[in-house]
Amino acid sequence: MIPQTPETTTGHGDISTGVAAPTAGGDSNASATRITPGNALRPEDIALEVRTGLTKPSEDIAEYALRLGDDALILAQRLGHWISRAPELEEDVALGNIALDQLGHARSFLSYAGGAWDKSEDDLAYFRREHEFRSVQLFEQPNDDFAVTIARQFIVSYYQFELYRRLTESTDATIAAIAAKAVKEVDYHRDHSAQWILRLAGGTEESRRRMIHGLRLMWPYVNELFQDDELAQRLAEAGAAVAPSSLREDFDRLTGEVLAEAELEVPDVPAAPGGGRHGRHSEHLGYLLAEMQVLAREHPGAKW
Amino acid sequence: MSPHGNPEVPASSATEIDRDAQKVSAEPEASASTTPRPAVDSAANQPVETPAEGRNAWGLWEVFVRSSRGLSHVHAGSLHAPDAAMALRNARDLYTRRNEGVSIWVVPADAIAASDPDAKGSFFESPQGKDYRHATYYTKSEGVKHL
């Protein structure tokens, strides 16, 4: 995934001015006049641990990390499409930031998952086929207009927050560490989407109509987020993961509060059949992957 | 409402929205269409059309960021936002992406009164040449201790 984001290609040490070497990481050697990138967990750290054999996920854990990584990766690709297309420059950057947060989570999860099969994050992102992706269908749904994107963000961020919040206590140290970094970022994504739900719902007649439409378009995919299966159950019993169904109550309560404040109803729509966790996707994923993967497949190993 | 002033407090929940936050009118004819920049020139009395009139009814806000090692908030730039709550969030997204700050202030640009650049002479030239206002002007008298 490295060629995709200028922000990550530059690497840790070059992000800010004044940081002399890639080794300059934390606050310990920071001065008053330079800005440091901080010393949070990075995907590169996980990749290094995996490469040096310091950590290696079990088959089950890798499969689980692949699911979460794919969710984040597909969403990042979707959100990235807003760059230069958002209604306002400020919102352009906000959605771009959220996309980069998600891409960071994806890189961490995929780097970790790849450890089980001797694959890099790029192998997993660019050289798998549609039915090998494990993301749930909500994440691949098209951006459509801004309200539709906000509806998707609203569902995703409230779901991910509940998930990551619990995963910080995972018995798998790497999953717990990735979740601990991600949960703070996703907390902001929740805030961002909730603010927009309230504003679009309480704005003009047109914005309210679009917000209701967006929620109705996305809500069929909510159910799939909370479906348990064998793998999730097995890992949940071992304490490494959480059963998706256990997140539902908090999700319903918290999203319900925001919707009530916006004077919106929880859409009464039938649930989509789902199946993304087992490689069954909606018609949209293929096109998304074609765009995301074409460059890496045309020029394998290319860097710029 | 100070969701991001304190790094110990995570991003606010939606219930913290300040509904009384200053709103900018969506009417293009309303006062929002006058330039919200500080009145720095004599033409400022005339309503000046903003670019993208009508489409962009968001007001202009000035952003001040305090870095983790800085004592005071420093002007970082400006942005557009429909109200204070969104201005804070936009400021977070635009001006703290590279770990620049731990606290943000946003101020409606039209709430800032600025000195007139054309009046530079009468405003700022008077202190020039008045060396006696600086401590270095004075020579230490003999026998004075602790100076």
Side-chain angles (χ1 to χ4, degrees):
Chain A
M1 268 162 282
I2 282 176
Q4 282 237 315
T5 51
E7 187 114 356
T8 51
T9 50
T10 50
H12 190 42
D14 300 323
I15 291 172
S16 65
T17 51
V19 178
T23 50
D27 280 325
S28 57
N29 47 12
S31 84
T33 51
R34 68 186 174 195
I35 299 162
T36 69
N39 52 4
L41 176 77
R42 298 169 305 146
E44 289 85 354
D45 302 326
I46 295 168
L48 185 71
E49 285 197 359
V50 166
R51 212 166 44 240
T52 54
L54 219 63
T55 178
K56 187 177 162 74
S58 69
E59 187 71 25
D60 272 2
I61 291 280
E63 188 63 34
Y64 186 70
L66 192 64
R67 292 178 173 190
L68 304 189
D70 282 350
D71 283 351
L73 175 64
I74 300 304
L75 182 63
Q77 178 71 14
R78 275 283 182 239
L79 287 173
H81 195 77
W82 273 109
I83 292 170
S84 84
R85 294 182 176 89
E88 299 288 340
L89 177 69
E90 286 78 0
E91 200 47 39
D92 221 282
V93 181
L95 289 170
N97 284 347
I98 293 174
L100 285 172
D101 286 347
Q102 293 286 336
L103 190 65
H105 309 160
R107 294 185 58 206
S108 295
F109 281 125
L110 294 185
S111 295
Y112 187 42
W117 312 301
D118 217 11
K119 285 184 189 298
S120 72
E121 49 177 318
D122 282 7
D123 294 337
L124 290 174
Y126 294 133
F127 296 96
R128 273 182 304 151
R129 295 165 61 202
E130 182 183 336
H131 68 274
E132 296 173 292
F133 274 80
R134 294 287 174 263
S135 48
V136 293
Q137 294 181 359
L138 172 66
F139 293 82
E140 73 218 28
Q141 295 310 307
N143 288 338
D144 209 311
D145 67 18
F146 184 69
V148 173
T149 292
I150 289 300
R152 190 183 62 207
Q153 272 309 105
F154 179 60
I155 300 167
V156 163
S157 57
Y158 276 77
Y159 158 74
Q160 286 185 329
F161 182 80
E162 293 308 318
L163 175 66
Y164 292 148
R165 187 164 72 80
R166 288 166 176 80
L167 283 181
T168 56
E169 288 165 19
S170 167
T171 52
D172 186 279
T174 308
I175 296 278
I178 299 170
K181 167 84 173 116
V183 71
K184 287 173 232 155
E185 298 176 353
V186 172
D187 193 16
Y188 185 75
H189 305 171
R190 279 199 317 173
D191 179 66
H192 174 266
S193 64
Q195 294 285 337
W196 274 115
I197 292 265
L198 292 170
R199 279 169 176 75
L200 292 174
T204 62
E205 223 170 277
E206 173 78 0
S207 72
R208 184 171 177 84
R209 185 185 66 73
R210 284 178 185 247
M211 193 65 255
I212 291 170
H213 174 68
L215 288 167
R216 283 186 66 85
L217 271 186
M218 291 299 165
W219 219 262
Y221 301 97
V222 167
N223 210 41
E224 187 188 357
L225 296 170
F226 303 102
Q227 277 171 359
D228 293 338
D229 69 353
E230 254 180 63
L231 175 74
Q233 290 282 15
R234 201 158 58 231
L235 286 172
E237 277 162 29
V242 286
S245 59
S246 68
L247 310 174
R248 182 83 204 226
E249 201 185 321
D250 280 343
F251 173 87
D252 283 345
R253 183 172 51 80
L254 293 169
T255 52
E257 281 173 12
V258 177
L259 292 178
E261 194 185 342
E263 291 168 19
L264 294 172
E265 282 166 20
V266 178
D268 182 20
V269 286
R277 293 285 187 233
H278 302 100
R280 291 190 299 278
H281 295 284
S282 59
E283 69 271 30
H284 308 294
L285 185 64
Y287 296 100
L288 182 151
L289 291 180
E291 189 176 353
M292 187 179 84
Q293 295 179 331
V294 62
L295 201 78
R297 289 180 177 225
E298 281 293 311
H299 306 279
K303 283 196 163 103
W304 68 91
Chain B
M1 185 212 65
S2 58
H4 301 295
N6 181 353
E8 302 301 315
V9 180
S12 71
S13 69
T15 52
E16 278 179 51
I17 286 191
D18 181 0
R19 292 237 178 254
D20 299 317
Q22 182 186 346
K23 300 276 197 306
V24 173
S25 168
E27 293 296 316
E29 303 84 37
S31 56
S33 66
T34 60
T35 179
R37 278 279 180 201
V40 289
D41 58 50
S42 49
N45 300 339
Q46 307 288 325
V48 179
E49 305 262 306
T50 45
E53 176 76 28
R55 196 186 139 265
N56 187 355
W58 288 7
L60 189 70
W61 298 74
E62 299 298 329
V63 179
F64 300 81
V65 175
R66 186 166 75 79
S67 72
S68 55
R69 285 171 199 82
L71 293 174
S72 57
H73 288 71
V74 174
H75 186 233
S78 54
L79 53 77
H80 290 97
D83 56 46
M86 290 305 280
L88 269 178
R89 286 159 179 82
N90 288 348
R92 178 263 194 199
D93 283 330
L94 287 168
Y95 293 107
T96 65
R97 299 179 75 234
R98 296 186 180 83
N99 209 16
E100 290 96 335
V102 293
S103 172
I104 300 172
W105 290 346
V106 288
V107 180
D110 56 9
I112 296 176
S115 58
D116 182 352
D118 292 338
K120 243 183 190 163
S122 56
F123 247 66
F124 300 116
E125 276 181 28
S126 158
Q128 290 176 19
K130 295 190 167 71
D131 301 3
Y132 55 85
R133 290 184 181 169
H134 297 261
T136 48
Y137 177 81
Y138 300 94
T139 47
K140 198 173 84 172
S141 303
E142 255 180 65
V144 175
K145 288 173 183 171
H146 315 300
L147 249 183

